[in-house]
Amino acid sequence: GKKNREVIPAEHMKRLKAYAEENNKHFLLACYIIYYCFVRPKEMSHIRLQDISIKQGTLFIPAEVAKNRKDATVTLPDCVIKLMLDLQVFSNPNSYYLFGHKMRPGKEHTSDKQFRDYWTYYIRKHLKFPAEYKFYSLKDTGITDLIRDNTDLLSVRNQARHHSLLMTDIYTPHDIEEANEFIRHRAAEF
């Protein structure tokens, strides 16, 4: 069904990044994980450092914390790994959660509520975002942006861990009123 959240426009994403870079880089990492990797907040709260492979550029989501109850591996873009390295998250033991207390690596599990609370009490308040911009909107925005960048739909579906393209389609807006520049300028031999 229709989601009660909106895709966040690029200019607001830039403001979000600037605010998080200045005020809470660990929250920026949480934003990156949901935007680039499409990992749900509850799943994010269970990520351990041992689930991350810098060498392979992957993040493993174990079945016991995944919404669909299946093991999965998603791609970690270079910018996400770079931020992790800048934050020195790997100086902690492998058994630590990536997002412990105050969204910093820690040995105790912390609820995913901390992401929504920070979004509500800091991001939405300081950036004056509408109520339709939710923390989870970053997943919708990431999926939509990846599709708009002409990434093949199977790659998007796999990164989002959807069982079908129909599920991926739910996350994308259908009321786009501007021309697709790729289609507009495409020339074929026909």
Side-chain angles (χ1 to χ4, degrees), residues 16-81:
L16 168 60
K17 181 179 180 183
Y19 180 86
E21 278 181 330
E22 185 176 327
N23 295 285
N24 189 339
K25 287 188 178 181
H26 291 275
F27 181 73
L28 179 61
L29 178 59
C31 292
Y32 275 15
I33 297 285
I34 194 169
Y35 174 83
Y36 287 108
C37 304
F38 316 140
V39 177
R40 297 166 184 91
K42 187 171 184 172
E43 296 167 339
M44 286 173 46
S45 73
H46 289 279
I47 296 171
R48 292 184 185 260
L49 298 181
Q50 66 198 18
D51 299 326
I52 300 165
S53 172
I54 297 174
K55 183 179 179 185
Q56 294 177 330
T58 58
L59 170 62
F60 177 71
I61 310 294
E64 57 270 11
V65 302
K67 181 180 178 183
N68 64 6
R69 299 292 178 214
K70 294 180 182 177
D71 286 340
T73 301
V74 297
T75 300
L76 278 173
D78 293 337
C79 64
V80 179
I81 293 172

Side-chain angles (χ1 to χ4, degrees), residues 8-162:
I8 303 171
E11 64 271 12
H12 290 209
M13 291 294 290
K14 288 177 188 171
R15 291 177 55 226
L16 168 60
K17 181 179 180 183
Y19 180 86
E21 278 181 330
E22 185 176 327
N23 295 285
N24 189 339
K25 287 188 178 181
H26 291 275
F27 181 73
L28 179 61
L29 178 59
C31 292
Y32 275 15
I33 297 285
I34 194 169
Y35 174 83
Y36 287 108
C37 304
F38 316 140
V39 177
R40 297 166 184 91
K42 187 171 184 172
E43 296 167 339
M44 286 173 46
S45 73
H46 289 279
I47 296 171
R48 292 184 185 260
L49 298 181
Q50 66 198 18
D51 299 326
I52 300 165
S53 172
I54 297 174
K55 183 179 179 185
Q56 294 177 330
T58 58
L59 170 62
F60 177 71
I61 310 294
E64 57 270 11
V65 302
K67 181 180 178 183
N68 64 6
R69 299 292 178 214
K70 294 180 182 177
D71 286 340
T73 301
V74 297
T75 300
L76 278 173
D78 293 337
C79 64
V80 179
I81 293 172
K82 181 184 182 316
L83 183 55
M84 288 178 177
L85 293 171
D86 290 348
L87 294 172
Q88 300 178 356
V89 299
F90 300 108
S91 63
N92 296 283
N94 258 351
S95 61
Y96 272 33
Y97 292 95
L98 177 61
F99 298 107
H101 181 65
K102 294 188 177 182
M103 289 177 253
R104 285 162 172 69
K107 66 177 171 178
E108 301 294 326
H109 175 263
T110 307
S111 168
D112 59 305
K113 186 178 182 304
Q114 70 176 329
F115 306 120
R116 290 187 307 277
D117 286 350
Y118 194 86
W119 182 270
T120 301
Y121 299 115
Y122 293 94
I123 300 301
R124 206 163 37 203
K125 178 181 175 185
H126 292 292
L127 299 179
K128 299 190 180 357
F129 282 174
E132 294 81 18
Y133 292 3
K134 299 179 176 17
F135 180 65
Y136 206 98
S137 296
L138 294 172
K139 180 178 178 182
D140 301 36
T141 304
I143 290 171
T144 301
D145 288 352
L146 202 56
I147 291 170
R148 284 183 176 156
D149 287 343
N150 295 309
T151 304
D152 71 278
L153 292 179
L154 290 178
S155 294
V156 177
R157 181 203 65 192
N158 292 342
Q159 182 75 346
R161 296 171 292 132
H162 291 151

